[in-house]
Amino acid sequence: MNLTIDVTAETFPIAGTFTISRSSKTEAKIVLVKISDGINVGRGECVPYARYGESVESVMEEIALVSQRIIARPDRTNLQTFMKAGAARNAIDCALWDFEAKRLGIPARNSLRVRNPHPLITAYTLSLGTPEEMANAAKAVSHRSLLKMKVGGEGDLERVRAVVASAPNSKIILDANEGWTEDNVVANMEAVALLNVALIEQPLPVGKDAILGKIIHPVPICADESAHTSETLAELKSRYDAVNIKLDKTGGLTEAIKMRDQAKALGFQIMVGCMVGTSLGMAPAVLLAQKAEFVDLDGPLLLARDRETALRYEGSLVYPPERELWG
């Protein structure tokens, strides 16, 4: 089997500006991997993330260094042994899943033992802004059943109150992106619990979250930046109630499945999340998330344009991918 690997950098404009506690951006920078035997083409994408020391250039270089090994042995299990978890491995791993499905004519959902995947309710993310800005954004999407709002700084309680008032029928997830501190985390949690917030993602910075194992959780707390692969789970158990599994952190669907299963065995709730990417990046995650308690796969909804072949979104629902897109 003569294989080729093609790697391309792509840019997709974001609809407006996407702001979190650390930064703002107006475009999503993506790396696309195609693996082909001349007939079948498997595709996977990743979103390099500066928070984890990644860039488009570093990811493309990492892929180039291992391309010949992959061509010689296009095996997902073997891939885990010589590539570290992260965006580069994710793009290759998902491309191999897609390639295998197309070459064998067996949908990836079968290999995942997901016989009848169903549409999922996905969160819709509100970018960090002033309370008034976030209230206006929430009002515009108040018909959605699940909203995730970015917080992480002074004025967070005013932001939450404003969003809850503007979208009273929506369940709310908070994502602090490590923006709270040991000094305010208890008071913040107690206050948002009274506002019926459903989940808080990564309130404290990685390495400064030990206090979470010593305090009451009036709202379940989800590890995001602290949770990368299955190897990190045991040490998180005393501090977190849920884990956010993202393919760009796990290094692909193969490790993500392992992480999900181990997290369930340890009693964690499961959230399947994403970076801001296209439908191609979300597609494998939709299959992974079939039994997750929380789903946050709204990346394409935040873009000004998506791929020509895209996932189907209807209101708060995201539908499983068709063969033409992935898997």
Side-chain angles (χ1 to χ4, degrees):
M1 182 168 54
N2 295 319
L3 297 182
T4 60
I5 296 181
D6 181 67
V7 185
T8 308
E10 300 180 318
T11 299
F12 286 79
I14 290 173
T17 302
F18 185 72
T19 301
I20 66 173
S21 64
R22 286 188 294 268
S23 62
S24 297
K25 62 180 182 178
T26 58
E27 58 187 16
K29 295 183 178 180
I30 291 164
V31 175
L32 173 67
V33 170
K34 295 180 181 178
I35 298 176
S36 174
D37 61 3
I39 300 174
N40 305 289
V41 180
R43 300 187 305 160
E45 80 170 35
C46 68
V47 180
Y49 200 39
R51 169 66 180 80
Y52 305 133
E54 298 171 335
S55 65
V56 168
E57 294 74 20
S58 71
V59 164
M60 294 183 74
E61 181 179 357
E62 189 176 349
I63 294 171
L65 291 172
V66 299
S67 290
Q68 291 305 312
R69 295 185 69 172
I70 295 161
I71 289 171
R73 187 179 173 185
D75 178 89
R76 288 183 286 101
T77 302
N78 184 51
L79 181 69
Q80 316 302 307
T81 66
F82 63 85
M83 287 195 77
K84 68 179 187 297
R89 193 176 78 184
N90 177 35
I92 297 171
D93 182 77
C94 289
L96 286 172
W97 273 94
D98 190 35
F99 175 73
E100 179 182 287
K102 290 181 168 61
R103 184 174 66 85
L104 298 178
I106 300 174
R109 62 187 65 176
N110 288 13
S111 299
L112 284 161
R113 296 191 290 278
V114 179
R115 299 298 180 184
N116 296 297
H118 57 274
L120 304 168
I121 294 174
T122 179
Y124 181 84
T125 303
L126 303 177
S127 185
L128 180 64
T130 66
E132 183 179 10
E133 289 169 342
M134 298 190 77
N136 290 336
K139 186 175 182 179
V141 293
S142 60
H143 60 284
R144 295 182 178 275
S145 56
L146 182 62
L147 298 179
K148 179 165 108 168
M149 57 178 296
K150 294 291 186 177
V151 294
E154 186 176 348
D156 277 346
L157 298 184
E158 288 77 12
R159 293 183 179 98
V160 178
R161 292 188 186 104
V163 167
V164 169
S166 295
N169 297 318
S170 302
K171 182 186 291 186
I172 304 294
I173 297 170
L174 302 186
D175 186 1
N177 288 114
E178 306 177 278
W180 290 358
T181 69
E182 291 186 2
D183 295 330
N184 65 26
V185 65
V186 172
N188 283 351
M189 285 199 299
E190 290 175 347
V192 301
L194 297 176
L195 296 168
N196 295 318
V197 166
L199 189 73
I200 301 171
E201 279 188 74
Q202 197 70 40
L204 298 175
V206 175
K208 297 183 179 180
D209 55 357
I211 190 177
L212 298 179
K214 304 172 185 177
I215 60 177
I216 296 172
H217 296 185
V219 178
I221 303 176
C222 180
D224 183 358
E225 285 87 347
S226 289
H228 287 252
T229 66
S230 56
E231 295 177 352
T232 65
L233 291 173
E235 65 189 57
L236 299 177
K237 182 57 186 167
S238 65
R239 286 170 276 166
Y240 293 93
D241 309 292
V243 290
N244 188 347
I245 301 174
K246 295 178 180 176
L247 301 186
D248 278 313
K249 292 190 302 178
T250 65
L253 183 58
T254 302
E255 171 60 25
I257 295 167
K258 181 180 178 182
M259 184 176 182
R260 178 200 62 191
D261 293 347
Q262 288 193 17
K264 284 185 175 181
L266 288 168
F268 286 106
Q269 289 185 306
I270 305 298
M271 181 177 190
V272 175
C274 66
M275 307 302 185
V276 182
T278 78
S279 284
L280 179 60
M282 306 303 117
V286 171
L287 298 181
L288 176 73
Q290 286 295 302
K291 294 183 179 180
E293 284 81 9
F294 295 93
V295 178
D296 178 27
L297 297 176
D298 64 340
L301 299 178
L302 306 176
L303 300 176
R305 63 177 175 86
D306 196 3
R307 297 193 182 277
E308 185 173 337
T309 300
L311 285 172
R312 176 184 168 195
Y313 287 88
E314 288 185 0
S316 292
L317 294 177
V318 55
Y319 285 76
E322 299 294 336
R323 174 182 171 85
E324 292 74 20
L325 174 62
W326 185 89

